[in-house]
Amino acid sequence: MHSRLKHTEIRQRIKKITLIGLFSAFCITFRIIHLPIPNVQPDTDILMLLTLNLGMAISMPVAVITMILSNVILGFGIWTVPQIMAYIAVILTVAFCKKFLNLKNSFRMQLGLAVFLGFEYGLIVSWGMFAVGSVHGFWIYYLNGVLFDAYHALGNLGFYPLLYRPVNAALNTIKD
């Protein structure tokens, strides 16, 4: 019985590592492949769907791995840590809303949250400029990035309906 329990635990860990690796690869690829419009990518939506379906234990490592490994190609800078913190904030927002709202059963609420997350991400990244610079640095960075945050939010609005069914279907087949 004891070895059987270990076997099941090992399978669960392998499954978790595989999911983290697979979704990290998807997100890294989507970050590196640039669409003609900047900040339009499905990563935020993927992280939201992962958090809603599998929780933060999967989505958090995916977010961190995505930002670190994609920035190997895209370039590291003072923005890298704020980008990681922004995705952690996004995941925490989704988890909070899942817990206190009927988010899982409302596509419209999920879609609205996806749009909000585009702006939240940009605000957190801009806040990182305050941490390394000044209040003026925050406002300059934030105001210069509002259009890009809008692109991010609109990209989330466009990608979420496209990803909703296939990602949920895939994640539902692998749940315990």
Side-chain angles (χ1 to χ4, degrees):
M1 185 76 159
H2 182 59
S3 64
R4 179 87 173 147
L5 182 63
K6 282 188 174 187
H7 181 70
T8 303
E9 185 179 315
I10 290 170
R11 285 182 39 175
Q12 289 300 103
R13 287 182 184 182
I14 290 171
K15 184 177 172 181
K16 181 178 176 181
I17 291 168
T18 303
L19 286 171
I20 290 168
L22 179 68
F23 280 98
S24 294
F26 285 144
C27 289
I28 291 164
T29 302
F30 289 131
R31 273 201 88 221
I32 293 170
I33 297 174
H34 291 288
L35 295 176
I37 304 169
N39 284 18
V40 175
Q41 55 178 315
D43 290 6
T44 305
D45 292 334
I46 292 170
L47 291 172
M48 181 173 162
L49 288 164
L50 282 174
T51 304
L52 288 173
N53 285 282
L54 301 176
M56 294 189 300
I58 299 290
S59 58
M60 285 284 190
V62 169
V64 173
I65 291 167
T66 295
M67 296 316 278
I68 292 171
L69 293 183
S70 63
N71 279 356
V72 167
I73 304 295
L74 300 173
F76 283 95
I78 59 172
W79 55 83
T80 301
V81 172
Q83 286 176 328
I84 293 168
M85 298 308 292
Y87 267 142
I88 288 171
V90 161
I91 291 165
L92 290 172
T93 299
V94 173
F96 179 84
C97 290
K98 178 184 173 185
K99 184 172 182 154
F100 293 105
L101 303 172
N102 192 16
L103 188 61
K104 187 78 170 118
N105 297 320
S106 175
F107 177 77
R108 286 184 182 177
M109 286 176 62
Q110 290 177 39
L111 196 56
L113 181 58
V115 170
F116 170 79
L117 295 175
F119 289 105
E120 178 187 46
Y121 176 87
L123 180 67
I124 303 289
V125 170
S126 297
W127 177 82
M129 295 304 105
F130 168 73
V132 297
S134 66
V135 173
H136 293 80
F138 162 77
W139 283 110
I140 291 167
Y141 199 84
Y142 178 70
L143 293 174
N144 281 313
V146 168
L147 181 60
F148 295 100
D149 299 342
Y151 290 154
H152 189 166
L154 290 173
N156 290 350
L157 179 67
F159 279 116
Y160 200 79
L162 297 174
L163 294 171
Y164 180 78
R165 288 189 196 278
V167 172
N168 278 329
L171 293 175
N172 284 330
T173 62
I174 57 174
K175 282 184 186 176
D176 290 329

